[in-house]
């Protein structure tokens, strides 16, 4: 059998690819292979035929892990583009597109086939392998066999025996038990009256705290989470059981990623604006090429109907596939149910809350062509669909579409590129588009479609602002009055505060000391339900003190406001109300989002309180009031997009009300009532906000007027990181003087806004301007050639999201 050579990309922090020898026909590009690397074996991806010229000591491929490439040619091409544009190793880009199980060589399993009579005349090591397998019941992981049989790769023997039909090899996902259960603590009695609550709990403070955590979590929570994450002992839970307030029960878990059956499809007559948008999209679907579409529709204007009508054309009539991206896992069940109503079992779901087994099952069904519509968060963009016809990016402005690890891609931009390369339509939808997309629409790069009015002629909710300089309480009198009015009418309300925890920090009144994270340059947030101080960056936690660790003074001040504290204030203000809190702390369980929102949908919640995850995509006709507890959170962060993100958050949460026949109302509490972000939100004026913000970013220039890259240098040593940042900036300046990227400007270096994270000191500098290709070449050379001072120094380059076409 003749030998050839292949180029293989490995998920390593290096830009080079590797050449390996292979016997027999060359695997198709995108095929996973197992290859030796240093003293171990790694999973890599075949890129094509390799050139052995000038390379010494070429090693053989250990095994070809699949017959059908896990990265079809279209996705491999997209991975190449991502690796180039985001200046990341190609193997890392390939790995980011696949379920993690496919990058884990330890998941390789072999099992016996045929009878022992056929083992005669085999090489000794092959016979030993078969005998070892026989002793293990006929199947085992390759890693376990290698350990049992000593040094050396087993893949030559595995390949030899597989070709002779004596072995079968496959990649298996992490196993799930046939029936999985978890212990759940469920409330069976709800105590709305505050006086009764005081009487029932008396001095049992921890029992009351546990009860209120369950209440905020939608009425139930995993026993393990209550004990491990929330810090409640089993005796506290048993105390609640003895009072008849809770039961502990087993709840079965299903590997089916859909929690409930599909609904019946809702049929609506499109409005004239919807019909015009649908017509434009269907016309473009028949063209060989089309510019991306920006669907700008006010909240409640029926963008989902437009998406569904487009997909009915693409999937049902043309037999092609589609991808629908949503920014939040909390939106996935609601979005999936709408699309399943129309497309049934042809819908797959991909997001990070799935187990590895569920994700792998869904991915395989997509690769086999069994699923035609893929709904999910950011990573669903890389679903291996065949004959891609459309990509829809809902809430395209959302920051969660930005990947925080290499490759640091923006899913919205990569969606535009994938659709263009595949000859598919790309539709970006939002009530508050990103300024990058808005500028592209104004310049003609994107085609703008508008839905200026809500469906059924419903009006946008009136918005009023309450000046917190005059109202010092957490809940102002106008806000309390508005909520009480809704409760008396049996309606629902949403309250937003985009900060979790109970207090932002604890400060000693005696010496002024603030408890800080030992690993990060931030204060620790107080979580009252868990009686813990937490860092929201590195997850360090410690017990809440009862006196100052520095001077011993017991007089501690709890400063700042979080959703946990607001929940307590709301419960005291409206003791008869049924309250649910929705933030990271109450939604750690797999279906926690769905359970809380299900209670809201069924009318079992009067007040839904939460962070930004309740601000977008939710459609509950019973919600007639939205209150923003503090609109200033995030408005003055050291980020040029702070104003844009604040406006988007306020506009999106305001859009959650007034969707039913009873209308709606919004109250925004702010200490800056005259700020243009607040004024624009009062009148639902996206156009006015966009014009002012675009003008403000001209001088000094920021995206979308130019391209931007942020280079972050980090080290455990503060002196080393400062020297490294100066050295990196010096390297870049030298290349710019030589003409390395005309039009590019370097700003900095300086300490990062949060100077220390995860016990690493951080400096950064900006590179703004310059054309794409020269900038890409410069960035690549910088990461390959810059030699930092000795020691632990890391360099991260993050390109800002921009228009790519």
């Amino acid at each position: 059998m003749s030998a050839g050579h292949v180029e293989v990309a490995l998920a390593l922090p290096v830009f080079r690819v590797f050449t390996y020898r292979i016997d027999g026909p060359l695997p198709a590009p995108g095929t996973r292979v197992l290859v030796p690397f240093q003293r171990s074996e790694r999973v890599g991806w075949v890129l094509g035929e390799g050139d052995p010229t000038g390379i010494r000591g070429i090693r053989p491929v250990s095994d070809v892990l699949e017959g059908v490439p896990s990265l079809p040619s279209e996705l491999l091409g997209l991975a190449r583009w991502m690796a180039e544009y985001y200046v990341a190793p190609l193997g890392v880009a390939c790995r980011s597109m696949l379920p993690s199980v496919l990058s884990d060589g330890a998941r390789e399993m072999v099992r016996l086939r045929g009878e022992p009579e056929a083992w005669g005349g085999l090489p000794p090591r092959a016979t030993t392998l078969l005998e070892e397998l026989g002793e293990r019941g006929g199947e085992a992981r390759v890693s376990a066999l290698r350990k049992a049989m000593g040094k050396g790769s087993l893949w030559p023997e595995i390949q030899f025996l597989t070709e002779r039909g004596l072995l079968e090899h496959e990649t298996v996902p992490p196993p799930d038990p046939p029936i999985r259960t978890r212990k759940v603590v469920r409330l069976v009695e709800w105590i709305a009256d505050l006086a009764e609550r005081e009487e029932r709990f008396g001095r049992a403070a921890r029992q009351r705290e546990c009860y209120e955590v369950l209440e905020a979590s939608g009425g139930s929570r995993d026993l393990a989470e209550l004990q491990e994450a929330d810090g409640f002992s089993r005796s506290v839970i048993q105390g609640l059981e003895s009072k008849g307030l809770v039961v502990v029960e087993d709840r079965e878990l299903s590997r089916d990623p859909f929690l409930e059956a599909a609904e019946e499809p809702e049929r609506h007559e499109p409005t004239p604006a919807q019909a015009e948008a649908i017509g434009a999209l269907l016309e473009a679907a028949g063209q060989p090429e089309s510019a991306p579409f920006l669907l700008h529709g006010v909240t409640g204007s029926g963008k989902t109907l437009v998406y569904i009508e487009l997909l009915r054309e693409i999937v049902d009539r043309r037999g092609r596939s589609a991808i629908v991206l949503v920014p939040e896992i909390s939106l996935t069940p609601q979005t999936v149910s709408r699309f399943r109503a129309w497309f049934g079992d042809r819908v797959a779901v991909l997001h990070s809350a799935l187990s590895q087994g569920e994700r792998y099952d869904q991915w395989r069904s997509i690769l086999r062509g069994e699923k035609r519509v893929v709904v999910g968060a950011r990573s669903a963009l890389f679903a291996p669909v065949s004959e891609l016809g459309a990509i829809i990016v809902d809430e395209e402005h959302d920051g969660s579409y930005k990947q925080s690890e290499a490759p640091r891609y923006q899913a919205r931009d990569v969606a535009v590129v994938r659709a263009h390369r595949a000859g598919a339509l790309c539709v970006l939808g939002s009530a508050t588009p990103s300024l990058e997309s808005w500028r592209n629409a104004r310049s003609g790069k994107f085609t703008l479609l508008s839905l200026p009015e809500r469906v059924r002629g419903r009006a946008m909710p009136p918005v009023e602002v309450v000046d917190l300089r005059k109202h010092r309480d957490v809940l102002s009198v106008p806000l309390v009055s508005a909520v009480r009015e809704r409760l008396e009418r049996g309606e629902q309300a949403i309250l937003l505060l985009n900060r979790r925890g109970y207090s932002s920090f604890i400060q000693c009144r005696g010496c002024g000391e603030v408890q800080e994270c030992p690993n990060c340059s931030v204060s620790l947030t107080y979580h009252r339900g868990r009686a813990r101080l937490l860092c929201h960056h590195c997850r360090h936690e410690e017990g809440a003190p009862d006196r100052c660790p520095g001077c011993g003074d017991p007089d501690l001040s709890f400063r700042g406001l979080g959703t946990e504290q607001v929940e307590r204030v709301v419960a005291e203000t409206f003791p008869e109300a049924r309250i649910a809190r929705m933030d990271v702390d109450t939604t750690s369980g797999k279906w926690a989002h769905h359970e809380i929102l299900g209670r809201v949908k069924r009318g079992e919640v009067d007040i839904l309180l939460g962070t930004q995850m309740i601000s977008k995509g939710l459609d509950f006709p019973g919600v007639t009031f939205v209150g923003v507890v503090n609109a200033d959170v995030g408005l003055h962060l050291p980020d040029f997009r702070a104003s844009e993100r604040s406006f988007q958050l306020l506009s999106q949460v305001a859009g959650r009300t007034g969707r039913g026949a009873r209308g709606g109302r919004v109250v925004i509490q702010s200490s800056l009532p005259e700020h243009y972000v607040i004024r624009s939100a009062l009148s639902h004026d996206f156009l006015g906000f966009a014009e002012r913000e675009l003008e403000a970013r001209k001088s000094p220039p920021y995206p979308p007027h130019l391209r931007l890259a942020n280079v972050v240098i980090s080290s455990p040593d503060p002196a080393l990181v400062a020297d490294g940042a100066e050295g990196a900036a010096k390297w870049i300046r030298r290349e710019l003087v030589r003409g390395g990227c005309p039009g590019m400007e370097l700003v900095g270096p300086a300490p990062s806004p949060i100077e220390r994270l995860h016990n690493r000191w951080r400096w950064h500098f900006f590179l703004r301007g310059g054309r794409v290709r020269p900038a890409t070449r410069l960035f690549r050379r910088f990461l390959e050639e810059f030699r930092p001072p000795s020691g632990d120094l890391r360099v991260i380059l993050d390109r800002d999201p921009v228009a790519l076409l």
Side-chain angles (χ1 to χ4, degrees), residues 719-766:
L720 179 62
V721 74
D723 291 343
E726 292 290 352
K730 182 179 179 180
W731 192 99
I732 294 284
R733 287 194 189 99
R734 185 188 70 224
E735 295 303 313
L736 294 181
V737 169
R738 294 175 177 175
C741 186
M744 179 174 285
E745 175 190 13
L746 187 149
V747 181
S752 295
I754 301 179
E755 192 171 2
R756 187 162 56 112
L757 276 179
H758 301 275
N759 214 23
R760 298 185 69 86
W761 297 89
R762 304 160 72 244
W763 279 54
H764 73 145
F765 55 85
F766 290 138

Side-chain angles (χ1 to χ4, degrees), residues 214-226:
L214 286 168
E215 191 177 42
S217 301
S220 67
R221 194 158 171 80
D222 286 2
L223 175 62
E225 291 173 0
L226 281 173

Side-chain angles (χ1 to χ4, degrees), residues 636-680:
H636 293 300
L637 292 175
D639 183 343
F640 71 89
R641 286 195 177 90
S643 293
E644 179 183 2
R645 287 172 176 158
S646 294
F647 172 78
Q648 289 166 342
L649 181 64
L650 295 177
S651 298
Q652 289 288 336
V653 75
R656 297 315 103 205
T657 186
R659 290 169 172 254
R662 289 173 286 188
R665 179 186 171 194
V666 182
V667 171
I668 296 176
Q669 298 185 156
S670 172
S671 298
L672 303 164
E674 299 304 320
H675 195 287
Y676 70 95
V677 167
I678 307 297
R679 306 312 301 178
S680 298

Side-chain angles (χ1 to χ4, degrees), residues 222-499:
D222 286 2
L223 175 62
E225 291 173 0
L226 281 173
Q227 292 180 300
E228 296 169 13
D230 301 327
F232 295 108
S233 67
R234 191 68 174 89
S235 62
V236 169
I237 297 165
Q238 287 170 343
L240 292 176
E241 286 183 284
S242 66
K243 287 182 167 68
L245 297 176
V246 305
V247 294
V248 179
E249 58 191 12
D250 288 321
R251 185 171 296 178
E252 183 176 331
L253 293 172
S254 170
R255 185 151 151 165
D256 182 358
F258 304 109
L259 188 61
E260 55 189 31
E263 303 174 355
E264 286 296 317
E266 294 184 18
R267 301 183 183 274
H268 299 287
E269 187 68 27
T271 66
Q274 285 176 321
E276 184 176 346
I278 292 168
L281 292 173
L282 296 186
E283 181 181 354
Q287 305 297 323
E289 286 189 12
S290 175
F293 285 86
L294 176 62
L295 180 61
H296 174 220
V298 299
T299 55
S301 59
K303 293 185 286 293
T304 302
L305 174 64
V306 176
Y307 300 155
I308 288 173
E309 290 301 317
L310 170 62
L311 264 57
R312 289 178 67 193
E313 172 69 23
I314 295 291
V315 178
D316 289 343
R317 301 184 187 99
R318 303 186 182 220
R320 302 184 72 181
S321 301
I323 296 172
V324 182
L325 300 185
V326 293
E328 289 277 359
I329 293 174
S330 62
L331 298 181
T332 306
Q334 189 176 43
T335 306
V336 167
S337 67
R338 291 173 179 171
F339 283 93
R340 285 190 79 202
W342 287 99
F343 303 105
D345 291 337
R346 292 175 293 170
V347 177
V349 58
L350 290 174
H351 58 73
S352 59
L354 299 181
S355 70
Q356 290 190 52
E358 287 171 336
R359 188 175 181 83
Y360 184 51
D361 288 349
Q362 291 286 293
W363 182 87
R364 285 190 301 172
S365 66
I366 297 167
L367 186 66
R368 292 193 297 260
E370 298 168 3
K371 308 291 186 179
R372 285 295 187 178
V373 178
V374 181
V375 180
R378 183 177 59 231
S379 61
L381 174 61
F382 306 121
V385 295
S386 58
E387 300 182 72
L388 180 62
I391 301 178
I392 294 169
V393 185
D394 194 27
E395 310 292 359
E396 63 87 29
H397 66 276
D398 198 271
S400 65
Y401 285 127
K402 184 73 167 69
Q403 168 79 359
S404 60
E405 299 175 348
R408 292 173 171 80
Y409 64 88
Q410 222 295 347
R412 176 193 67 228
D413 293 348
V414 180
V416 170
V417 173
R418 182 174 184 187
H420 174 73
R421 296 171 66 96
L425 275 184
C426 184
V427 181
L428 313 178
S430 178
T432 53
S434 64
L435 293 185
E436 287 78 16
S437 296
W438 185 247
R439 188 169 184 267
N440 285 334
R442 287 179 48 184
S443 67
K445 288 185 177 180
F446 292 178
T447 302
L448 179 63
L449 302 175
S450 296
L451 302 177
E453 297 178 351
R454 286 187 158 185
V455 296
R456 301 186 182 91
R458 292 182 178 129
M460 297 295 291
V463 185
E464 60 186 275
V465 64
V466 173
D467 191 343
L468 287 179
R469 294 171 298 184
K470 301 175 182 178
H471 297 265
R472 297 302 180 92
D473 295 330
V474 172
L475 304 179
S476 64
V477 173
L479 190 148
V480 170
S481 175
V483 172
R484 181 162 285 123
E485 180 182 341
R486 266 64 191 175
L487 294 178
E488 290 172 353
R489 298 205 303 243
E491 298 168 359
Q492 295 171 300
I494 286 177
L495 297 180
L496 169 78
L497 177 64
N498 200 26
R499 182 186 291 142

Side-chain angles (χ1 to χ4, degrees), residues 484-542:
R484 181 162 285 123
E485 180 182 341
R486 266 64 191 175
L487 294 178
E488 290 172 353
R489 298 205 303 243
E491 298 168 359
Q492 295 171 300
I494 286 177
L495 297 180
L496 169 78
L497 177 64
N498 200 26
R499 182 186 291 142
R500 64 189 179 101
Y502 188 88
S503 296
S504 303
F505 59 93
I506 297 178
Q507 185 173 30
C508 174
R509 285 193 173 96
C511 67
E513 181 176 335
V514 174
Q515 291 284 96
E516 293 191 346
C517 175
N519 306 317
C520 307
S521 301
V522 296
S523 59
L524 292 172
T525 301
Y526 174 53
H527 288 248
R528 183 176 179 274
R530 299 168 59 178
R532 307 286 288 175
L533 293 175
L534 272 68
C535 175
H536 291 170
H537 295 279
C538 73
R539 300 185 181 181
H540 168 83
E541 63 176 276
E542 56 190 63

Side-chain angles (χ1 to χ4, degrees), residues 12-223:
L12 298 170
V14 294
F15 287 101
R16 61 167 292 194
V17 295
F18 300 87
T19 300
Y20 288 91
R21 188 178 75 254
I22 189 167
D23 294 325
L26 300 184
T31 299
R32 288 185 312 124
V33 291
L34 194 70
V35 296
F37 184 82
Q38 295 181 347
R39 297 183 178 181
S40 64
E41 290 177 318
R42 289 181 173 270
V43 174
W45 291 268
V46 173
L47 303 177
E49 187 172 359
D51 182 3
T53 305
I55 304 176
R56 299 173 58 186
I58 297 178
R59 303 170 76 180
V61 170
S62 298
D63 192 27
V64 178
L65 298 178
E66 57 200 9
V68 177
S70 55
L71 281 179
S73 58
E74 183 236 332
L75 280 178
L76 182 59
L78 184 65
R80 289 181 183 274
W81 180 88
M82 286 174 57
E84 179 183 4
Y85 183 81
Y86 294 106
V87 200
L90 179 53
V92 173
C94 292
R95 182 181 61 187
S96 71
M97 293 182 165
L98 296 170
S100 58
V101 62
L102 294 178
S103 303
D104 182 2
R107 293 291 175 194
E108 306 308 320
M109 179 80 75
V110 290
R111 59 178 57 89
L112 289 175
R113 295 181 62 188
E115 300 298 328
E117 290 77 15
W119 295 2
L122 297 176
R125 190 167 167 82
T127 302
T128 303
L129 172 58
L130 294 174
E131 291 171 348
E132 183 70 29
L133 262 178
E135 293 177 4
R136 292 172 179 264
E139 67 177 26
R141 291 190 180 184
V142 174
S143 56
L145 291 170
R146 185 188 303 116
K147 185 176 181 180
M149 294 180 61
K151 295 181 179 180
S153 173
L154 291 179
W155 287 106
E157 286 75 23
I158 292 173
Q159 195 167 6
F160 173 83
L161 294 170
T162 301
E163 290 172 355
R164 281 154 179 76
L166 299 177
L167 276 188
E168 181 181 39
H169 162 243
E170 70 169 324
T171 303
V172 297
D176 287 335
I179 298 177
R180 296 177 295 160
T181 62
R182 71 183 194 271
K183 292 285 186 184
V184 172
V185 183
R186 179 171 61 85
L187 283 181
V188 293
E189 182 179 344
W190 298 77
I191 308 174
D193 184 72
L194 190 59
E196 181 185 353
R197 189 173 295 196
E198 293 284 353
E199 181 181 347
R200 292 285 292 273
F201 289 106
R203 298 177 63 183
R206 289 294 284 167
Q207 288 185 22
R208 177 169 180 167
E209 289 171 8
C210 184
Y211 175 88
E212 290 173 350
V213 167
L214 286 168
E215 191 177 42
S217 301
S220 67
R221 194 158 171 80
D222 286 2
L223 175 62

